[in-house]
Amino acid sequence: MKGKIFLAQVGPESHLDREEVRSDLLQRGYWVVPENAYISNTGNFEEELAADLSTAERCIHIVGGGAASGDDDLETYELTRIQLERAVQTMKAKNKPILVWIKPGADADPETRSLVAYVERDLANEGVEYFRGGLEDFKTDVIAKLGALSSPARVQDLSDIALLVEETDLA
């Protein structure tokens, strides 16, 4: 893998967009976390989020509409804001930018409008790079920026490699 990328959890209105970005990253050799959706109403939500962010080399967020993500979960805008705030704290310490795509029409919902303003006004000064435009243009921009990630570490000691051999391979 080329590196670990945190791709923020989104609500149902942006799920297909997230999956498209995730798929492109996986095809290019990046490891994408979280691998499974967070359950935000459990006690270990914050710990899981912190663990994923601490090991990630870059963070990508999608800001879309404000539909609720589920009856028992935080609403989408709250979940997005929490993930953004934690990502800023973590990535600022690593001196790494956070990439945010603001979906076209995200300003239509009042709650999402305040989140968009927060990203553009406050987080832009905290190392967040936001992008307004189409998804394909955003993905192109993301891939270009991720090209700077270092190549995977090389194995130093060959004794650390496991080799499976079947008896038919010995001949």
Side-chain angles (χ1 to χ4, degrees):
M1 290 293 184
K2 292 181 180 178
K4 187 186 272 188
I5 308 299
F6 176 82
L7 180 58
Q9 185 173 327
V10 296
E13 75 288 346
S14 298
H15 183 74
L16 292 176
D17 297 322
R18 183 188 186 276
E19 284 306 307
E20 196 171 323
V21 172
R22 181 180 177 276
S23 176
D24 278 10
L25 291 170
L26 290 171
Q27 287 175 12
R28 286 176 170 77
Y30 294 98
W31 180 9
V32 180
V33 294
E35 294 182 64
N36 299 309
Y38 299 128
I39 301 173
S40 56
N41 60 354
T42 63
N44 59 351
F45 162 67
E46 291 276 346
E47 291 84 24
E48 290 174 3
L49 177 60
D52 284 339
L53 286 169
S54 69
T55 59
E57 297 175 51
R58 294 285 195 279
C59 293
I60 300 171
H61 297 261
I62 298 171
V63 175
S69 60
D71 294 337
D72 297 327
D73 279 350
L74 293 171
E75 290 187 19
T76 300
Y77 77 96
E78 289 181 66
L79 181 62
T80 302
R81 188 176 182 115
I82 290 169
Q83 291 176 101
L84 276 166
E85 289 171 350
R86 302 306 180 273
V88 167
Q89 293 169 352
T90 304
M91 293 294 123
K92 197 171 184 183
K94 295 180 181 185
N95 198 27
K96 301 284 184 182
I98 298 162
L99 309 174
V100 177
W101 176 46
I102 300 173
K103 290 176 63 171
D107 301 53
D109 180 70
E111 292 170 338
T112 307
R113 189 176 314 125
S114 68
L115 185 60
V116 169
Y118 174 64
V119 169
E120 293 178 337
R121 185 183 52 239
D122 300 332
L123 295 184
N125 296 324
E126 299 290 329
V128 172
E129 297 177 20
Y130 66 90
F131 183 88
R132 285 183 170 265
L135 179 59
E136 291 303 318
D137 292 333
F138 175 67
K139 290 190 307 183
T140 301
D141 191 50
V142 165
I143 297 304
K145 289 180 177 170
L146 291 179
L149 283 178
S150 60
S151 59
R154 303 259 184 243
V155 176
Q156 298 296 324
D157 183 4
L158 295 180
S159 65
D160 291 341
I161 298 175
L163 178 62
L164 301 176
V165 179
E166 293 185 20
E167 287 185 37
T168 58
D169 293 337
L170 294 176

